[in-house]
Amino acid sequence: MSVAFVTGSAGLIGSESVRHFAALGFEVVGIDNDLRSSFFGADASTAWNARRLSRDLGPAYTHLTLDIRDREALARAFRRYGDAVSVVIHTAAQPSHDWAARDPFTDFDVNATGTLNLLQNAREHCPEAPFVHCSTNKVYGDRPNDLPLVELDTRFELAASHPYAGGVPEEMPVDASLHSLFGASKLAADVLVQEYGRYFGMRTACFRAGTLTGPAHSAAHLHGFLGYLMRCAMTRRPYTVVGHGGKQVRDTLHSRDVVRAFEAFWREPRPAAVYNLGGGRHANCSVLEAIELVEKITGEELERSYADRPRPGDHRWWIGSNARFTAEHPGWRPTYDVLDILYEIHDANRDRWTPTR
């Protein structure tokens, strides 16, 4: 039986990858030590999701409580399965700008060094396995803020005549911009994944994602925009809009659409591939627009405040172009719009997110 290695296997994209590749007939080995709870607190723990995967998938899923910074433990896991590993899906990360500034060593060790550890183990033990890396649009730093944006009532927007109006392509430069330390560590990982493709001929892909979301997100204040917004509305917690008048725009992609893209690459891999991946023009919203939708779905007025100072390097507008990926994998398209996503997050978490007051 073919084996799929999935890091961050109890997280949003990791758990969706586990279920998807198990349904394809893989034996899935998940690597996750719930660092997310250390980063963001008990509310963000993924332990509940790890238990659910083991319960639902039974012998098709093996959970390893490993830290991707632990080279020896990773080497033992890779040696155990060897060339039976047919795909490596790397979604484990420290994902927050603000948290990275508090502890740059841990951020870099997880995001950059952890990725190097995985790449080298894959090279030594399963070099034919496609290596899928969940990267981020933050590798472009604050370059998107140089775009000639127009301020509208509820969002920033780019004129329809602009070359990037349909979405930012991979040709946007990554240099001479403010990345945040998180963005810098993820860029280091992104370049490493490309280099193992170019230098060693491994079939690797960097998926530079915008806002990835879905019902399995352990949403927290510092990470998980749509999930956390819905959580605040459902539990009646106050929500803080940070900077840009709440008009900053994000494209949003459902976790199921993400892993369908991973599968498409696994089926037709190539060395050193780089793709922007997101909801594009099909699914995007500003913070203000998302709040309006959440209030409509929950029937609750969200208690909110406003912090005038934006996060350093925060994008005012991000809609990514999927054109390169869809040209190479024409069967893939985003299938969920923002309203679909928010309704599913709401319905899936009725029993978990109950009012705190």
Side-chain angles (χ1 to χ4, degrees):
M1 180 178 288
S2 293
V3 174
F5 261 34
V6 180
T7 72
S9 58
L12 172 67
I13 305 304
S15 64
E16 199 74 68
S17 299
V18 169
R19 292 183 182 277
H20 188 87
F21 280 82
L24 293 176
F26 281 81
E27 177 185 345
V28 182
V29 177
I31 295 173
D32 196 310
N33 64 338
D34 198 17
L35 263 184
R36 190 175 176 86
S37 64
S38 299
F39 297 147
F40 309 130
D43 277 356
S45 172
T46 59
W48 66 275
N49 209 9
R51 291 191 296 269
R52 192 170 68 170
L53 290 172
S54 294
R55 180 197 68 203
D56 293 350
L57 299 178
Y61 178 64
T62 300
H63 187 89
L64 302 180
T65 306
L66 300 182
D67 191 317
I68 62 171
R69 295 170 293 180
D70 187 337
R71 291 177 184 167
E72 289 304 314
L74 274 181
R76 286 194 296 271
F78 273 88
R79 280 197 299 267
R80 176 181 173 186
Y81 292 95
D83 59 9
V85 177
S86 298
V87 63
V88 178
I89 300 171
H90 176 34
T91 75
Q94 190 298 111
S96 167
H97 297 238
D98 296 337
W99 199 96
R102 298 174 191 172
D103 190 345
F105 287 118
T106 298
D107 174 76
F108 195 87
D109 285 346
V110 170
N111 290 347
T113 307
T115 301
L116 177 59
N117 293 340
L118 288 157
L119 285 163
Q120 184 60 23
N121 271 290
R123 179 188 167 215
E124 291 178 2
H125 301 290
C126 51
E128 297 303 313
F131 189 104
V132 174
H133 174 55
C134 200
S135 188
T136 171
N137 60 8
K138 302 307 185 292
V139 300
Y140 299 110
D142 63 356
R143 280 277 186 168
N145 290 344
D146 294 336
L147 295 171
L149 300 173
V150 178
E151 186 173 356
L152 305 178
D153 288 343
T154 62
R155 63 161 49 204
F156 291 106
E157 193 49 273
L158 195 59
S161 59
H162 193 276
Y164 290 1
V168 176
E170 294 82 0
E171 286 73 22
M172 175 169 274
V174 300
D175 296 321
S177 60
L178 175 69
H179 287 81
S180 80
L181 293 175
F182 158 75
S185 66
K186 290 293 287 185
L187 178 58
D190 188 299
V191 172
L192 280 167
V193 173
Q194 292 183 58
E195 197 62 22
Y196 269 70
R198 291 194 175 90
Y199 198 93
F200 298 117
M202 291 171 59
R203 295 170 299 173
T204 65
C206 295
F207 285 94
R208 295 173 173 175
T211 295
L212 305 182
T213 189
H217 215 168
S218 295
H221 169 60
L222 292 180
H223 185 250
F225 161 46
L226 288 181
Y228 184 68
L229 183 59
M230 181 62 78
R231 185 175 197 158
C232 286
M234 292 173 70
T235 59
R236 297 177 191 158
R237 297 181 186 179
Y239 181 84
T240 302
V241 178
V242 182
H244 302 307
K247 296 183 179 183
Q248 58 268 50
V249 170
R250 302 288 183 266
D251 69 355
T252 61
L253 189 64
H254 195 289
S255 53
R256 292 193 192 100
D257 286 335
V258 176
V259 300
R260 287 195 304 107
F262 292 174
E263 179 193 347
F265 178 78
W266 165 69
R267 292 187 182 280
E268 297 184 69
R270 62 192 67 203
V274 175
Y275 306 110
N276 288 347
L277 191 77
R281 280 295 177 185
H282 177 75
N284 62 83
C285 64
S286 70
V287 175
L288 293 180
E289 292 163 354
I291 289 172
E292 182 179 353
L293 291 174
V294 163
E295 290 179 334
K296 174 185 174 182
I297 292 168
T298 62
E300 298 279 350
E301 184 175 348
L302 183 71
E303 181 184 342
R304 66 183 189 264
S305 59
Y306 179 70
D308 186 59
R309 185 179 179 181
R311 294 184 176 96
D314 192 30
H315 294 163
R316 292 191 299 157
W317 183 91
W318 176 268
I319 294 176
S321 170
N322 295 315
R324 176 184 291 181
F325 186 73
T326 55
E328 295 179 9
H329 306 276
W332 183 89
R333 290 288 187 281
T335 58
Y336 293 78
D337 63 23
V338 178
L339 192 60
D340 294 333
I341 291 168
L342 285 171
Y343 265 116
E344 187 174 1
I345 292 173
H346 174 269
D347 293 347
N349 290 287
R350 284 179 187 272
D351 296 332
R352 294 180 60 236
W353 296 346
T354 54
T356 56
R357 56 192 172 93

